[in-house]
């Protein structure tokens, strides 16, 4: 006999993440490393487990290999269940045709069969590219109390930034009266977080109607939510006041990593009551050599520090040689910063080597922007990579030739 699940979560993790440039050339955005030892997808997965949701479908599409391998059987998140647990859901060959996911709504529509398997009362729909810690159980309880058809998590943003988001207007009881996708003149500062709780039957009904509409973009923000509002369905907003960051750009990814630093970080990953879980290979403790200096930084297992690291986040296996200086930067796995090199205000992808005496980026005060250095590169000795550029192998060759 199949046991009914009250709630199933559907995690949209198939985005290309083109605004992260070189970081997502070979992996999907949710698989991008974050905070030294995590991946972006660790946050919604950990939120599900901490919220008591043990059945999660992860919808993959773009460059899924690394993400599929990382998720595996779900064991690190306690999602290796005989019934339920975590399941990756790529596009597949149906009886009549095979389709890529055409939009967020179409992706869920193509997996209604997965949802039906557990006969849930509620479906939580999540984005796989946000950094936050949130108790979805509170939102579900709020949904029940209001007798809602759909509840949307909202985050208060500055009015100057509201036009970047889907914006909700609500009445005194938080019932949504108006929704505008990226409005030029926003009437509210309640921004959609891309976190939804739907009553399952309503969700399926609107997904089927949306799929039948040939003119639809098959998107929750553009189509499903406006259609439900127009039909007079009960839509409520759920206010979230914790830390939340859309890390869809190099700037926002860098900023969110910097938010981990300090005695009272904006996002505390050392909170034992709400653990962020991850899959990590077993690595030796990091080593700090004689004369090394580390200030206000996160240094992950397997790192070797002989130089200076200031206000930075270092992933596993990074080596900073003697005389090298890393400042205000995010360094991904197994990067080597050779002796007397400097790295300022930069993001460096995995497996890159910065040669002796080379420089990457500039200090924040004088910089034109964050420098992004691609993965698997070798910066020649004494070569300078300018600030504010996206540097690949072609640019490196040009810089070396002009040295």
């Amino acid at each position: 006999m199949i046991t009914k699940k009250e709630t199933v979560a559907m995690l949209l993790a198939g985005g290309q993440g083109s605004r992260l440039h070189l970081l997502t050339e070979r992996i999907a955005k949710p698989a991008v490393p974050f905070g030294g030892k995590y991946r972006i997808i660790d946050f919604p997965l950990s939120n599900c487990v901490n919220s008591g949701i043990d059945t999660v479908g992860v919808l993959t599409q773009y460059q899924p290999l690394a993400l599929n391998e990382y998720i595996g059987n779900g064991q690190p998140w306690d999602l290796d269940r005989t019934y339920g647990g975590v399941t990756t859901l790529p596009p597949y060959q149906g009886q009549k045709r095979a389709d890529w996911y055409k939009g967020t709504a179409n992706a869920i529509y193509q997996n209604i069969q997965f949802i039906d398997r557990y006969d849930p009362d509620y479906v939580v729909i999540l984005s796989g590219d946000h950094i936050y810690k949130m108790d979805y159980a509170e939102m579900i309880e709020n949904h029940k109390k209001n007798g809602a058809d759909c509840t949307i998590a909202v985050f208060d943003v500055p009015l100057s930034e509201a036009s970047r988001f889907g914006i909700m207007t609500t009445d005194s009881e938080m019932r949504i009266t108006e929704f505008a996708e990226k409005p030029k003149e926003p009437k509210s500062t309640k921004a959609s977080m891309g976190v939804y709780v739907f009553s399952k039957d309503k969700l399926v009904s609107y997904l089927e109607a949306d799929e039948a509409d040939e003119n639809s973009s098959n998107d929750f923000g553009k189509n499903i939510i406006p259609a439900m509002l127009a039909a007079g369905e009960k839509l409520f907003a759920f206010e979230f006041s914790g830390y939340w960051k859309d890390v869809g750009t190099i700037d926002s990814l860098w900023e969110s990593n910097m938010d981990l630093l300090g005695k009272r970080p904006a996002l505390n990953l050392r909170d034992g009551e709400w653990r962020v879980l991850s899959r990590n290979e077993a690595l030796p403790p990091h080593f700090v050599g004689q004369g090394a200096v580390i200030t206000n930084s996160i240094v992950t297992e397997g790192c070797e520090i002989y130089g200076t690291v200031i206000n930075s986040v270092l992933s596993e296996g990074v080596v900073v040689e003697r005389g090298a200086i890393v400042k205000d930067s995010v360094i991904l796995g197994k990067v080597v910063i050779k002796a007397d090199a400097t790295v300022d205000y930069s993001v460096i992808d995995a497996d890159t080597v910065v040669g002796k005496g080379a420089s990457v980026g500039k200090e924040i005060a004088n910089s034109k922007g964050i420098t992004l250095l691609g993965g698997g590169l070798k910066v020649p000795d004494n070569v300078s990579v300018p600030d504010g550029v996206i540097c690949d192998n072609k640019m490196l060759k040009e810089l070396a030739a002009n040295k």
Side-chain angles (χ1 to χ4, degrees):
M1 180 178 176
I2 295 178
T3 305
K4 177 184 173 68
K5 297 281 187 180
E6 182 185 48
T7 304
V8 167
M10 302 294 280
L11 177 50
L12 297 161
Q16 181 176 353
S18 57
R19 292 179 300 162
L20 289 177
H21 304 289
L22 300 176
L23 295 183
T24 52
E25 278 192 340
R26 296 184 297 274
I27 61 173
K29 181 162 59 170
V32 169
F34 177 83
K37 65 181 297 181
Y38 304 97
R39 306 280 182 127
I40 295 172
I41 199 170
D42 286 330
F43 289 82
L45 283 177
S46 297
N47 286 343
C48 285
V49 174
N50 288 323
S51 303
I53 299 172
D54 65 6
T55 304
V56 184
V58 180
L59 287 71
T60 63
Q61 180 159 281
Y62 172 79
Q63 296 281 22
L65 180 60
L67 186 59
N68 290 347
E69 287 182 340
Y70 185 74
I71 294 171
N73 67 351
Q75 186 271 332
W77 305 273
D78 191 29
L79 289 171
D80 51 337
R81 307 296 180 94
T82 303
Y83 180 64
V86 66
T87 303
T88 54
L89 301 169
Y92 59 89
Q93 175 77 51
Q95 187 176 5
K96 296 181 180 179
R97 63 182 184 179
D99 273 332
W100 290 112
Y101 296 144
K102 293 178 288 186
T104 54
N106 175 259
I108 303 299
Y109 170 81
Q110 290 197 44
N111 288 282
I112 288 175
Q113 187 176 11
F114 173 82
I115 296 171
D116 283 341
R117 181 180 180 186
Y118 300 100
D119 189 27
D121 296 318
Y122 309 104
V123 180
V124 179
I125 296 176
L126 308 167
S127 297
D129 52 6
H130 299 152
I131 302 296
Y132 65 117
K133 297 192 293 184
M134 179 179 181
D135 189 349
Y136 303 137
E138 291 184 6
M139 186 174 172
I140 294 167
E141 284 302 312
N142 188 267
H143 180 88
K144 294 178 186 177
K145 182 185 71 175
N146 290 325
D149 298 308
C150 174
T151 300
I152 303 173
V154 297
F155 185 80
D156 192 52
V157 297
L159 185 61
S160 59
E161 297 181 16
S163 59
R164 294 173 43 221
F165 299 91
I167 296 296
M168 312 288 166
T169 302
T170 63
D171 64 17
S172 60
E173 296 180 343
M174 293 300 288
R175 182 163 178 169
I176 298 169
T177 57
E178 191 174 340
F179 172 79
E181 183 72 17
K182 298 181 180 179
K184 292 182 179 179
E185 297 182 2
K187 297 180 180 180
S188 163
T189 56
K190 293 183 174 72
S192 171
M193 295 169 57
V195 176
Y196 307 97
V197 175
F198 282 93
S199 296
K200 184 251 188 178
D201 291 341
K202 285 289 185 181
L203 172 64
V204 171
S205 173
Y206 277 89
L207 287 177
E208 290 175 344
D210 182 70
E211 189 65 20
D213 182 359
E214 294 181 356
N215 297 317
S216 175
S217 301
N218 305 125
D219 183 84
F220 278 99
K222 294 177 182 177
N223 305 110
I224 301 294
I225 302 306
M228 293 184 74
L229 270 177
E233 305 289 6
K234 291 183 177 180
L235 276 70
F236 283 82
F238 177 80
E239 286 191 290
F240 177 71
S241 58
Y243 181 94
W244 178 77
K245 192 87 165 182
D246 180 341
V247 288
T249 66
I250 293 298
D251 283 10
S252 60
L253 181 69
W254 179 88
E255 289 167 2
S256 196
N257 273 276
M258 294 299 106
D259 286 341
L260 303 176
L261 304 177
K263 188 175 181 180
R264 293 184 177 87
L267 176 63
N268 183 11
L269 298 185
R270 301 186 289 274
D271 180 4
E273 294 184 4
W274 195 273
R275 293 181 60 202
V276 179
L277 306 166
S278 67
R279 181 188 298 278
N280 290 291
E281 59 180 303
L283 291 168
H286 60 258
F287 177 78
V288 180
Q290 187 174 6
V293 176
I294 302 176
T295 304
N296 192 42
S297 296
I298 291 174
V299 179
T300 309
E301 293 97 328
C303 290
E304 297 179 34
I305 311 299
Y306 304 93
T308 299
V309 178
I310 300 171
N311 206 58
S312 296
V313 177
L314 276 56
S315 293
E316 78 286 349
V318 172
V319 177
V320 180
E321 293 188 354
R322 193 175 303 278
I325 299 173
V326 177
K327 186 178 179 183
D328 298 312
S329 294
V330 178
I331 314 297
L332 303 189
K334 299 179 176 61
V335 168
V336 177
I337 315 294
K338 292 284 191 177
D340 301 318
T342 59
V343 177
D344 276 306
Y345 198 35
S346 298
V347 176
I348 301 182
D349 202 356
D351 301 311
T352 283
V353 177
V354 179
K356 292 181 180 180
S359 66
V360 178
K362 285 185 179 179
E363 291 189 14
I364 292 177
N366 302 310
S367 179
K368 297 176 182 177
I370 297 169
T371 299
L372 172 61
L373 190 57
L377 302 181
K378 291 186 178 180
V379 180
D381 294 350
N382 301 309
V383 162
S384 294
V385 178
D387 52 320
V389 301
I390 298 170
C391 183
D392 56 12
N393 200 47
K394 180 182 178 182
M395 178 179 283
L396 273 184
K397 289 179 180 178
E398 292 173 354
L399 293 171
N402 296 328
K403 185 176 69 169

